[in-house]
Amino acid sequence: DMRFYIERCEAMRNFANKLWNASRYVMMNLSIDKNELPALSELETSDKWILSKLNTLIADVTENLDKYELGVAVQKIYDFIWDSYCDWYIELTKTRLQGEDEGAKLAAQNVLCFVLTELLKLLHPFMPFITEEIYQALPHEEQFIMTSRWPEYRADLTFPEEEAAMEAVMDTIKAIRARRAE
C-alpha cells in the first residue's frame, strides 16, 4: 500500500510543465540538425560542468535502476533537471545564444540538445509520453526514444576541475543572493 498525496500530483504536474517549457526554450534556440557534442576544446567551463554532472547522473541512475531503487533514481533525475539543467545551465547559456560569437552559440546549442536528449532517455521509463513527444521534436537518429540506446557513462566527459570551479561560482552567486534577501 502506498499513500496518495494530492500535493505530489501537483508537484509532478509542475515538473512536467518545467520540462516542457525548458524543452520549448531549447527548441526555439536550435539551428542545428544533428545532435552531437562539439570538440572538447570548444566547450566552456559551464558546458564541461553540465556534461560532467550528467555523466555522474547517468552512472548513478543506471546503478539505482539495476538495484531496483526506482524512487531514488527518479528523484536524482528530478533534482538534476530542476536545479542543474533548468535553473543553472539554461540560464548560463542565454547570453551565448543571443551573442554574436557563432562558435559559442553553436557549442551552447549542441550541449543543450545533447544533455536534454540524454535526460529524456533517463526519464523515459517514468514519463514515457511526454519524453517521446519532446524527443520527436529534437534532432535525433533513432526513430523512437524507446528504441534508442540507454545513456552510458563516458570517461571522456568527466571534468572534475571545471566542475569544482563552476560549483565555486555557483556558491558565490547563492551567497550574494542570500545576502541581498537578508
Side-chain angles (χ1 to χ4, degrees), residues 14-70:
N14 293 342
F15 174 70
N17 190 45
K18 182 86 164 175
L19 179 65
W20 187 263
N21 287 336
S23 301
R24 277 189 24 224
Y25 173 79
V26 170
M27 287 183 263
M28 284 180 357
N29 288 289
L30 285 184
S31 62
I32 58 174
D33 56 354
K34 189 167 185 172
N35 187 0
E36 61 187 1
L37 282 176
L40 297 181
S41 61
E42 298 174 20
L43 298 176
E44 293 191 11
T45 302
S46 60
D47 299 332
K48 291 179 180 181
W49 166 76
I50 197 71
L51 290 171
S52 188
K53 297 280 281 183
L54 174 68
N55 210 25
T56 303
L57 177 73
I58 289 168
D60 290 348
V61 168
T62 302
E63 181 181 334
N64 292 133
L65 290 177
D66 287 343
K67 293 179 181 178
Y68 299 102
E69 297 170 340
L70 304 180

Side-chain angles (χ1 to χ4, degrees), residues 3 9 29 39 49 70 89 101 111 125 136 141 154 158 170:
R3 295 184 184 137
C9 293
N29 288 289
W49 166 76
L70 304 180
Y89 187 67
D101 185 358
V111 174
Q136 291 303 320
E141 293 177 11
R154 292 175 44 184
T158 302
M170 291 168 53

Side-chain angles (χ1 to χ4, degrees), residues 162-173:
E162 288 83 353
E163 197 172 334
M166 194 65 208
E167 295 289 339
V169 170
M170 291 168 53
D171 289 342
T172 303
I173 292 170

Side-chain angles (χ1 to χ4, degrees), residues 49-50 53-54 78-92 167 170:
W49 166 76
I50 197 71
K53 297 280 281 183
L54 174 68
Y78 173 92
D79 292 340
F80 183 88
I81 291 173
W82 199 279
D83 297 332
S84 300
Y85 189 68
C86 293
D87 288 352
W88 283 102
Y89 187 67
I90 286 178
E91 294 300 320
L92 291 168
E167 295 289 339
M170 291 168 53

Side-chain angles (χ1 to χ4, degrees), residues 101-131:
D101 185 358
E102 288 300 317
K105 188 183 294 189
L106 194 59
Q109 289 178 24
N110 280 308
V111 174
L112 275 168
C113 188
F114 177 81
V115 173
L116 180 59
T117 302
E118 296 299 292
L119 289 171
L120 292 173
K121 289 176 184 180
L122 290 174
L123 195 56
H124 186 69
F126 306 101
M127 299 174 70
F129 300 108
I130 192 170
T131 54

